[in-house]
Amino acid sequence: MTAVDPDPPEWLLRVEDALRAAPPEWFTTYRPPADPPRRSAVLMLFGPGEGGPGVVLTERSETLRSHASQVSFPGGKLDPGESPVEAALRETWEEVGVDPETVEVIGSLPDLWLSPSQNAVTPVIGWCRDLGGLRVVDRGEVARVETVPVAHLVDPARRFTVKGPSGYVGPGFEAAGLFVWGFTAQLLTVLFEVGGVAGEWDESIRRRLPWRFVRQFLRSRGGRRPTRG
């Protein structure tokens, strides 16, 4: 049996400083306004595994009004008086049962602006030595939760380019039965590239967005058809 390293990998510890020193274009393009109407935080939570470090990903409930069925990081809106770190830890506890006391907060990345929801999101990076208690707590928010090995996500055979129904084109992953695209896939891509673990992959490989995501998008637009392109 392969020994499991309980400590965070060096590349993950370097990401915050490296990204803030030279922010990728994505962070400057999607910089929030000075006084955003809504603020949220997500926890990019990593932990050890026999196949190396993994990241916690959730599949959102199909009954949610926004981003239903999509893969995301645990997280949500800030309560009054909360910091982004506090909100990310609280939401992770409420959604998937990870005790905030067991999470080592490694850092936070620059805020990103999600214009459809008028929301400024702070990505928080964390490490948990034992994710054995990971579970779905709030089925109104989360349908499924998985710890996906980073090695699987950076495998070129699991990576591709996907076009969203609104016309957005970006990276995608498929691992552990999860189809990862949009904000979550872009954030993972940036993290792996800055951390130096991304490797080479063929961006010319295109995948269609599964119909369940297109259907949810159409519902959110009142039945209007997605743009062509």
Side-chain angles (χ1 to χ4, degrees):
M1 181 179 294
T2 304
V4 175
D5 188 349
D7 296 321
E10 286 297 322
W11 67 265
L12 190 63
L13 297 174
R14 295 194 303 264
V15 163
E16 181 185 23
D17 288 344
L19 195 148
R20 289 187 181 276
E25 183 180 354
W26 190 55
F27 279 87
T28 55
T29 300
Y30 292 96
R31 180 182 294 122
D35 188 20
R38 297 182 61 201
R39 289 187 57 83
S40 299
V42 296
L43 183 61
M44 303 180 73
L45 181 60
F46 292 80
E50 291 186 8
V55 61
V56 174
L57 296 176
T58 69
E59 184 178 274
R60 291 167 60 83
S61 170
E62 65 178 8
T63 61
L64 292 171
R65 294 181 61 183
S66 63
H67 308 296
S69 299
Q70 291 188 23
V71 175
S72 67
F73 303 106
K77 68 178 182 179
L78 273 64
D79 282 346
E82 272 189 326
S83 69
V85 169
E86 290 169 336
L89 293 173
R90 174 183 54 76
E91 288 281 348
T92 301
W93 165 249
E94 294 174 354
E95 291 181 3
V96 297
V98 177
D99 186 342
E101 295 296 326
T102 68
V103 178
E104 174 187 348
V105 175
I106 293 174
S108 299
L109 305 184
D111 293 349
L112 289 158
W113 178 241
L114 300 186
S115 57
S117 58
Q118 297 290 287
N119 195 12
V121 181
T122 304
V124 178
I125 303 173
W127 177 264
C128 180
R129 289 175 175 238
D130 183 3
L131 290 170
L134 196 69
R135 67 196 188 281
V136 174
V137 176
D138 185 352
R139 293 199 174 274
E141 293 281 345
V142 177
R144 178 182 169 197
V145 59
E146 296 284 346
T147 303
V148 184
V150 170
H152 289 189
L153 290 167
V154 299
D155 179 353
R158 302 174 189 267
R159 304 194 64 181
F160 46 87
T161 298
V162 63
K163 182 175 181 179
S166 65
Y168 170 82
V169 176
F173 304 82
E174 191 160 25
L178 299 172
F179 191 98
V180 190
W181 67 290
F183 175 80
T184 303
Q186 186 67 66
L187 196 49
L188 283 170
T189 298
V190 168
L191 191 82
F192 295 154
E193 288 177 350
V194 172
V197 296
E200 298 290 333
W201 61 284
D202 189 349
E203 298 183 37
S204 69
I205 297 174
R206 295 291 181 107
R207 293 277 301 276
R208 289 181 178 272
L209 191 67
W211 171 245
R212 66 184 183 276
F213 298 130
V214 178
R215 183 174 63 245
Q216 294 291 355
F217 177 79
L218 290 173
R219 285 180 183 173
S220 71
R221 287 167 56 98
R224 288 176 290 169
R225 297 188 66 81
T227 57
R228 293 182 177 272

PDB file of all heavy atoms in Angstrom, residues 198-217:
ATOM      1  N   ALA A 198      -0.020  21.198 -14.094  1.00  0.00           N
ATOM      2  CA  ALA A 198      -1.045  21.025 -15.133  1.00  0.00           C
ATOM      3  C   ALA A 198      -0.617  20.071 -16.237  1.00  0.00           C
ATOM      4  O   ALA A 198      -1.409  19.259 -16.711  1.00  0.00           O
ATOM      5  CB  ALA A 198      -1.429  22.381 -15.727  1.00  0.00           C
ATOM      6  N   GLY A 199       0.638  20.165 -16.684  1.00  0.00           N
ATOM      7  CA  GLY A 199       1.084  19.339 -17.799  1.00  0.00           C
ATOM      8  C   GLY A 199       0.475  19.807 -19.122  1.00  0.00           C
ATOM      9  O   GLY A 199      -0.251  20.804 -19.184  1.00  0.00           O
ATOM     10  N   GLU A 200       0.775  19.078 -20.167  1.00  0.00           N
ATOM     11  CA  GLU A 200       0.263  19.405 -21.498  1.00  0.00           C
ATOM     12  C   GLU A 200      -1.050  18.671 -21.753  1.00  0.00           C
ATOM     13  O   GLU A 200      -1.209  17.515 -21.360  1.00  0.00           O
ATOM     14  CB  GLU A 200       1.285  19.011 -22.565  1.00  0.00           C
ATOM     15  CG  GLU A 200       2.621  19.746 -22.456  1.00  0.00           C
ATOM     16  CD  GLU A 200       2.495  21.218 -22.816  1.00  0.00           C
ATOM     17  OE1 GLU A 200       1.583  21.551 -23.614  1.00  0.00           O
ATOM     18  OE2 GLU A 200       3.303  22.019 -22.325  1.00  0.00           O
ATOM     19  N   TRP A 201      -1.971  19.351 -22.432  1.00  0.00           N
ATOM     20  CA  TRP A 201      -3.208  18.697 -22.848  1.00  0.00           C
ATOM     21  C   TRP A 201      -3.675  19.337 -24.153  1.00  0.00           C
ATOM     22  O   TRP A 201      -3.275  20.445 -24.496  1.00  0.00           O
ATOM     23  CB  TRP A 201      -4.278  18.785 -21.768  1.00  0.00           C
ATOM     24  CG  TRP A 201      -4.698  20.178 -21.382  1.00  0.00           C
ATOM     25  CD1 TRP A 201      -4.009  21.050 -20.616  1.00  0.00           C
ATOM     26  CD2 TRP A 201      -5.926  20.832 -21.745  1.00  0.00           C
ATOM     27  NE1 TRP A 201      -4.710  22.228 -20.473  1.00  0.00           N
ATOM     28  CE2 TRP A 201      -5.897  22.105 -21.154  1.00  0.00           C
ATOM     29  CE3 TRP A 201      -7.038  20.456 -22.493  1.00  0.00           C
ATOM     30  CZ2 TRP A 201      -6.938  23.022 -21.299  1.00  0.00           C
ATOM     31  CZ3 TRP A 201      -8.089  21.360 -22.633  1.00  0.00           C
ATOM     32  CH2 TRP A 201      -8.029  22.629 -22.038  1.00  0.00           C
ATOM     33  N   ASP A 202      -4.484  18.621 -24.899  1.00  0.00           N
ATOM     34  CA  ASP A 202      -4.891  19.045 -26.233  1.00  0.00           C
ATOM     35  C   ASP A 202      -6.153  19.897 -26.170  1.00  0.00           C
ATOM     36  O   ASP A 202      -7.264  19.377 -26.028  1.00  0.00           O
ATOM     37  CB  ASP A 202      -5.126  17.816 -27.106  1.00  0.00           C
ATOM     38  CG  ASP A 202      -5.336  18.161 -28.577  1.00  0.00           C
ATOM     39  OD1 ASP A 202      -5.507  19.358 -28.888  1.00  0.00           O
ATOM     40  OD2 ASP A 202      -5.325  17.229 -29.400  1.00  0.00           O
ATOM     41  N   GLU A 203      -5.974  21.225 -26.264  1.00  0.00           N
ATOM     42  CA  GLU A 203      -7.111  22.139 -26.172  1.00  0.00           C
ATOM     43  C   GLU A 203      -8.013  22.080 -27.398  1.00  0.00           C
ATOM     44  O   GLU A 203      -9.121  22.630 -27.389  1.00  0.00           O
ATOM     45  CB  GLU A 203      -6.606  23.569 -25.965  1.00  0.00           C
ATOM     46  CG  GLU A 203      -5.826  23.753 -24.670  1.00  0.00           C
ATOM     47  CD  GLU A 203      -5.394  25.189 -24.448  1.00  0.00           C
ATOM     48  OE1 GLU A 203      -6.170  26.100 -24.788  1.00  0.00           O
ATOM     49  OE2 GLU A 203      -4.273  25.395 -23.952  1.00  0.00           O
ATOM     50  N   SER A 204      -7.558  21.415 -28.460  1.00  0.00           N
ATOM     51  CA  SER A 204      -8.383  21.331 -29.673  1.00  0.00           C
ATOM     52  C   SER A 204      -9.477  20.271 -29.541  1.00  0.00           C
ATOM     53  O   SER A 204     -10.408  20.235 -30.361  1.00  0.00           O
ATOM     54  CB  SER A 204      -7.512  21.012 -30.888  1.00  0.00           C
ATOM     55  OG  SER A 204      -6.995  19.691 -30.822  1.00  0.00           O
ATOM     56  N   ILE A 205      -9.382  19.410 -28.530  1.00  0.00           N
ATOM     57  CA  ILE A 205     -10.426  18.405 -28.318  1.00  0.00           C
ATOM     58  C   ILE A 205     -11.667  19.098 -27.753  1.00  0.00           C
ATOM     59  O   ILE A 205     -11.622  19.715 -26.694  1.00  0.00           O
ATOM     60  CB  ILE A 205      -9.947  17.306 -27.355  1.00  0.00           C
ATOM     61  CG1 ILE A 205      -8.765  16.549 -27.962  1.00  0.00           C
ATOM     62  CG2 ILE A 205     -11.079  16.343 -27.021  1.00  0.00           C
ATOM     63  CD1 ILE A 205      -8.143  15.537 -27.031  1.00  0.00           C
ATOM     64  N   ARG A 206     -12.769  19.005 -28.488  1.00  0.00           N
ATOM     65  CA  ARG A 206     -14.012  19.661 -28.084  1.00  0.00           C
ATOM     66  C   ARG A 206     -15.022  18.618 -27.605  1.00  0.00           C
ATOM     67  O   ARG A 206     -15.157  17.558 -28.192  1.00  0.00           O
ATOM     68  CB  ARG A 206     -14.614  20.453 -29.254  1.00  0.00           C
ATOM     69  CG  ARG A 206     -13.758  21.638 -29.715  1.00  0.00           C
ATOM     70  CD  ARG A 206     -13.732  22.721 -28.666  1.00  0.00           C
ATOM     71  NE  ARG A 206     -12.954  23.873 -29.079  1.00  0.00           N
ATOM     72  CZ  ARG A 206     -13.484  25.048 -29.428  1.00  0.00           C
ATOM     73  NH1 ARG A 206     -14.797  25.197 -29.444  1.00  0.00           N
ATOM     74  NH2 ARG A 206     -12.720  26.059 -29.773  1.00  0.00           N
ATOM     75  N   ARG A 207     -15.733  18.967 -26.539  1.00  0.00           N
ATOM     76  CA  ARG A 207     -16.791  18.109 -26.027  1.00  0.00           C
ATOM     77  C   ARG A 207     -18.082  18.910 -25.944  1.00  0.00           C
ATOM     78  O   ARG A 207     -18.080  20.099 -25.588  1.00  0.00           O
ATOM     79  CB  ARG A 207     -16.418  17.586 -24.634  1.00  0.00           C
ATOM     80  CG  ARG A 207     -15.235  16.632 -24.615  1.00  0.00           C
ATOM     81  CD  ARG A 207     -15.646  15.213 -24.953  1.00  0.00           C
ATOM     82  NE  ARG A 207     -16.636  14.703 -24.022  1.00  0.00           N
ATOM     83  CZ  ARG A 207     -16.326  14.145 -22.836  1.00  0.00           C
ATOM     84  NH1 ARG A 207     -15.063  14.048 -22.441  1.00  0.00           N
ATOM     85  NH2 ARG A 207     -17.271  13.676 -22.052  1.00  0.00           N
ATOM     86  N   ARG A 208     -19.176  18.243 -26.258  1.00  0.00           N
ATOM     87  CA  ARG A 208     -20.484  18.877 -26.110  1.00  0.00           C
ATOM     88  C   ARG A 208     -20.866  18.941 -24.625  1.00  0.00           C
ATOM     89  O   ARG A 208     -20.545  18.043 -23.851  1.00  0.00           O
ATOM     90  CB  ARG A 208     -21.554  18.090 -26.863  1.00  0.00           C
ATOM     91  CG  ARG A 208     -21.460  18.179 -28.369  1.00  0.00           C
ATOM     92  CD  ARG A 208     -22.589  17.381 -28.997  1.00  0.00           C
ATOM     93  NE  ARG A 208     -22.565  17.468 -30.434  1.00  0.00           N
ATOM     94  CZ  ARG A 208     -23.178  18.417 -31.137  1.00  0.00           C
ATOM     95  NH1 ARG A 208     -23.859  19.354 -30.506  1.00  0.00           N
ATOM     96  NH2 ARG A 208     -23.120  18.425 -32.451  1.00  0.00           N
ATOM     97  N   LEU A 209     -21.545  19.988 -24.262  1.00  0.00           N
ATOM     98  CA  LEU A 209     -22.053  20.094 -22.906  1.00  0.00           C
ATOM     99  C   LEU A 209     -23.214  19.116 -22.748  1.00  0.00           C
ATOM    100  O   LEU A 209     -24.118  19.081 -23.576  1.00  0.00           O
ATOM    101  CB  LEU A 209     -22.536  21.525 -22.641  1.00  0.00           C
ATOM    102  CG  LEU A 209     -22.867  21.891 -21.200  1.00  0.00           C
ATOM    103  CD1 LEU A 209     -21.609  21.878 -20.351  1.00  0.00           C
ATOM    104  CD2 LEU A 209     -23.518  23.273 -21.150  1.00  0.00           C
ATOM    105  N   PRO A 210     -23.202  18.262 -21.722  1.00  0.00           N
ATOM    106  CA  PRO A 210     -24.302  17.325 -21.521  1.00  0.00           C
ATOM    107  C   PRO A 210     -25.653  18.041 -21.468  1.00  0.00           C
ATOM    108  O   PRO A 210     -25.765  19.158 -20.948  1.00  0.00           O
ATOM    109  CB  PRO A 210     -23.957  16.669 -20.177  1.00  0.00           C
ATOM    110  CG  PRO A 210     -22.468  16.727 -20.107  1.00  0.00           C
ATOM    111  CD  PRO A 210     -22.117  18.060 -20.730  1.00  0.00           C
ATOM    112  N   TRP A 211     -26.662  17.358 -21.975  1.00  0.00           N
ATOM    113  CA  TRP A 211     -27.980  17.970 -22.117  1.00  0.00           C
ATOM    114  C   TRP A 211     -28.549  18.440 -20.781  1.00  0.00           C
ATOM    115  O   TRP A 211     -29.261  19.440 -20.718  1.00  0.00           O
ATOM    116  CB  TRP A 211     -28.943  16.989 -22.781  1.00  0.00           C
ATOM    117  CG  TRP A 211     -30.366  17.456 -22.762  1.00  0.00           C
ATOM    118  CD1 TRP A 211     -31.418  16.900 -22.112  1.00  0.00           C
ATOM    119  CD2 TRP A 211     -30.884  18.640 -23.401  1.00  0.00           C
ATOM    120  NE1 TRP A 211     -32.561  17.631 -22.302  1.00  0.00           N
ATOM    121  CE2 TRP A 211     -32.263  18.709 -23.093  1.00  0.00           C
ATOM    122  CE3 TRP A 211     -30.316  19.634 -24.202  1.00  0.00           C
ATOM    123  CZ2 TRP A 211     -33.080  19.732 -23.559  1.00  0.00           C
ATOM    124  CZ3 TRP A 211     -31.133  20.654 -24.663  1.00  0.00           C
ATOM    125  CH2 TRP A 211     -32.501  20.701 -24.343  1.00  0.00           C
ATOM    126  N   ARG A 212     -28.229  17.742 -19.675  1.00  0.00           N
ATOM    127  CA  ARG A 212     -28.799  18.152 -18.393  1.00  0.00           C
ATOM    128  C   ARG A 212     -28.398  19.571 -18.023  1.00  0.00           C
ATOM    129  O   ARG A 212     -29.181  20.300 -17.403  1.00  0.00           O
ATOM    130  CB  ARG A 212     -28.402  17.177 -17.281  1.00  0.00           C
ATOM    131  CG  ARG A 212     -26.921  17.139 -16.935  1.00  0.00           C
ATOM    132  CD  ARG A 212     -26.649  16.069 -15.898  1.00  0.00           C
ATOM    133  NE  ARG A 212     -25.264  16.018 -15.476  1.00  0.00           N
ATOM    134  CZ  ARG A 212     -24.301  15.371 -16.114  1.00  0.00           C
ATOM    135  NH1 ARG A 212     -24.598  14.719 -17.237  1.00  0.00           N
ATOM    136  NH2 ARG A 212     -23.060  15.364 -15.658  1.00  0.00           N
ATOM    137  N   PHE A 213     -27.191  19.986 -18.428  1.00  0.00           N
ATOM    138  CA  PHE A 213     -26.757  21.350 -18.146  1.00  0.00           C
ATOM    139  C   PHE A 213     -27.447  22.349 -19.080  1.00  0.00           C
ATOM    140  O   PHE A 213     -27.818  23.442 -18.666  1.00  0.00           O
ATOM    141  CB  PHE A 213     -25.239  21.464 -18.292  1.00  0.00           C
ATOM    142  CG  PHE A 213     -24.469  20.608 -17.336  1.00  0.00           C
ATOM    143  CD1 PHE A 213     -23.456  19.784 -17.783  1.00  0.00           C
ATOM    144  CD2 PHE A 213     -24.748  20.621 -15.984  1.00  0.00           C
ATOM    145  CE1 PHE A 213     -22.741  18.985 -16.911  1.00  0.00           C
ATOM    146  CE2 PHE A 213     -24.035  19.832 -15.091  1.00  0.00           C
ATOM    147  CZ  PHE A 213     -23.033  19.006 -15.568  1.00  0.00           C
ATOM    148  N   VAL A 214     -27.581  21.965 -20.338  1.00  0.00           N
ATOM    149  CA  VAL A 214     -28.274  22.842 -21.291  1.00  0.00           C
ATOM    150  C   VAL A 214     -29.720  23.032 -20.844  1.00  0.00           C
ATOM    151  O   VAL A 214     -30.257  24.147 -20.888  1.00  0.00           O
ATOM    152  CB  VAL A 214     -28.213  22.251 -22.708  1.00  0.00           C
ATOM    153  CG1 VAL A 214     -28.979  23.130 -23.687  1.00  0.00           C
ATOM    154  CG2 VAL A 214     -26.767  22.075 -23.159  1.00  0.00           C
ATOM    155  N   ARG A 215     -30.368  21.952 -20.417  1.00  0.00           N
ATOM    156  CA  ARG A 215     -31.765  22.031 -19.976  1.00  0.00           C
ATOM    157  C   ARG A 215     -31.910  22.981 -18.791  1.00  0.00           C
ATOM    158  O   ARG A 215     -32.830  23.821 -18.753  1.00  0.00           O
ATOM    159  CB  ARG A 215     -32.256  20.637 -19.593  1.00  0.00           C
ATOM    160  CG  ARG A 215     -33.729  20.601 -19.186  1.00  0.00           C
ATOM    161  CD  ARG A 215     -34.222  19.184 -18.944  1.00  0.00           C
ATOM    162  NE  ARG A 215     -33.514  18.549 -17.845  1.00  0.00           N
ATOM    163  CZ  ARG A 215     -32.727  17.496 -17.979  1.00  0.00           C
ATOM    164  NH1 ARG A 215     -32.535  16.947 -19.178  1.00  0.00           N
ATOM    165  NH2 ARG A 215     -32.118  16.962 -16.922  1.00  0.00           N
ATOM    166  N   GLN A 216     -31.007  22.871 -17.825  1.00  0.00           N
ATOM    167  CA  GLN A 216     -31.080  23.765 -16.665  1.00  0.00           C
ATOM    168  C   GLN A 216     -30.834  25.210 -17.074  1.00  0.00           C
ATOM    169  O   GLN A 216     -31.456  26.134 -16.543  1.00  0.00           O
ATOM    170  CB  GLN A 216     -30.061  23.325 -15.608  1.00  0.00           C
ATOM    171  CG  GLN A 216     -30.332  21.973 -14.971  1.00  0.00           C
ATOM    172  CD  GLN A 216     -31.555  21.970 -14.078  1.00  0.00           C
ATOM    173  OE1 GLN A 216     -32.183  22.996 -13.849  1.00  0.00           O
ATOM    174  NE2 GLN A 216     -31.912  20.797 -13.570  1.00  0.00           N
ATOM    175  N   PHE A 217     -29.934  25.411 -18.039  1.00  0.00           N
ATOM    176  CA  PHE A 217     -29.676  26.766 -18.520  1.00  0.00           C
ATOM    177  C   PHE A 217     -30.923  27.346 -19.176  1.00  0.00           C
ATOM    178  O   PHE A 217     -31.276  28.514 -18.960  1.00  0.00           O
ATOM    179  CB  PHE A 217     -28.507  26.749 -19.507  1.00  0.00           C
ATOM    180  CG  PHE A 217     -28.202  28.082 -20.119  1.00  0.00           C
ATOM    181  CD1 PHE A 217     -27.481  29.037 -19.426  1.00  0.00           C
ATOM    182  CD2 PHE A 217     -28.654  28.404 -21.396  1.00  0.00           C
ATOM    183  CE1 PHE A 217     -27.199  30.273 -19.979  1.00  0.00           C
ATOM    184  CE2 PHE A 217     -28.368  29.635 -21.963  1.00  0.00           C
ATOM    185  CZ  PHE A 217     -27.645  30.567 -21.250  1.00  0.00           C
TER     186      PHE A 217
END
